[in-house]
Amino acid sequence: QAQLVQSGSELKKPGASVKVSCKASGYSFTSYAINWVRQAPGQGLEWMGWINTNTGNPTYAQAFTGRFVFSLDTSVSTAYLNILSLKAGDTAVYYCARASGPTYWFDPWGQGTLVTVSS
Amino acid sequence: QSVLTQPPSASGTPGQRVTISCSGSTSNIGSSYVYWYQQLPGAAPKLLIYRNNQRPSGVPERFSGSKSGTSASLAISGLRSEDEADYYCAAWDDSLSVLFGGGTKLTVL
């Protein structure tokens, strides 16, 4: 069945960058979009945006423009989230989730990647 | 503060029926399907209800969703201890952004 497996936890210093991976299996990677969702410690879910795995075109939620970059490597069915110039406020669990496209549901989700930003 | 409003907490005893509400506006719930996600402690969210009231395979019939106008509800009947989790509603808005509710922590007493 469809599965998304994310890379492991990261500990970074402020100002550094981090790249989170999301590897898909069990389905045709380019037939579904990949969404990214952030969950700060003890907080709710926040949608970051999505990437069209067919065209590579990313769409960012308003709060995630500038330092957040979505990318793909379709040869290995993997989506990436790159966060630049990390701040303490970026400390969160980041999830990837599959969707058929805009207006569709998220299923499945990756297991999440904890990114901790601390000096 | 989330655009979709959920009660922060809900509770019930085993066997009871519990409902969780999700309130939005005409630009989101009023013009979109509503989705519900269950997040068990320490786990990733999982799809519970899609397109207002559809259950993915594997989700027990005890879980049901409904939508009316700019509000939606998730009902859980025959409450069980393993239902203790955070529940999030979600909807796409007119600008094709996803909105999540703030989440409801369900406690099984």
Side-chain angles (χ1 to χ4, degrees):
Chain A
Q1 76 277 20
Q3 189 177 16
L4 299 175
V5 177
Q6 298 183 225
S7 49
S9 298
E10 301 268 10
L11 173 60
K12 295 289 184 181
K13 294 190 184 305
S17 63
V18 68
K19 195 167 190 176
V20 176
S21 67
C22 170
K23 183 170 176 59
S25 63
Y27 72 96
S28 173
F29 182 65
T30 54
S31 295
Y32 295 83
I34 293 291
N35 287 258
W36 290 95
V37 176
R38 182 170 82 173
Q39 186 170 37
Q43 302 300 308
L45 305 174
E46 189 175 16
W47 182 71
M48 301 175 67
W50 66 286
I51 185 164
N52 184 320
T53 54
N54 226 352
T55 65
N57 183 47
T59 298
Y60 301 97
Q62 199 167 3
F64 295 96
T65 56
R67 296 188 300 113
F68 300 86
V69 181
F70 305 150
S71 62
L72 303 169
D73 185 343
T74 55
S75 68
V76 290
S77 302
T78 301
Y80 301 95
L81 164 64
N82 210 337
I83 310 173
L84 311 174
S85 302
L86 284 162
K87 307 175 182 180
D90 294 325
T91 295
V93 175
Y94 292 84
Y95 294 101
C96 60
R98 185 189 78 163
S100 292
T103 77
Y104 281 78
W105 53 93
F106 295 173
D107 182 50
W109 294 59
Q111 83 276 20
T113 296
L114 173 62
V115 175
T116 303
V117 184
S118 174
S119 54
Chain B
Q1 189 130 358
S2 303
V3 175
L4 302 185
T5 302
Q6 297 180 235
S9 63
S11 63
T13 56
Q16 265 192 332
R17 184 176 186 270
V18 170
T19 60
I20 296 171
S21 62
C22 176
S23 177
S25 69
T26 54
S27 63
N28 42 69
I29 290 179
S31 56
S32 164
Y33 289 116
V34 176
Y35 307 96
W36 290 92
Y37 298 93
Q38 176 193 56
Q39 187 174 33
L40 295 170
K46 169 193 153 187
L47 178 68
L48 200 60
I49 297 287
Y50 67 99
R51 288 190 171 170
N52 301 335
N53 55 20
Q54 302 299 302
R55 276 186 315 276
S57 60
V59 173
E61 291 181 10
R62 305 186 294 105
F63 293 91
S64 62
S66 64
K67 173 189 148 178
S68 178
T70 60
S71 294
S73 290
L74 172 71
I76 309 171
S77 59
L79 198 61
R80 305 176 68 160
S81 58
E82 57 259 41
D83 298 334
E84 192 158 284
D86 293 326
Y87 293 85
Y88 294 90
C89 62
W92 290 79
D93 71 8
D94 288 352
S95 64
L96 293 183
S97 294
V98 176
L99 303 174
F100 286 102
T104 298
K105 183 177 184 63
L106 175 64
T107 301
V108 181
L109 303 170

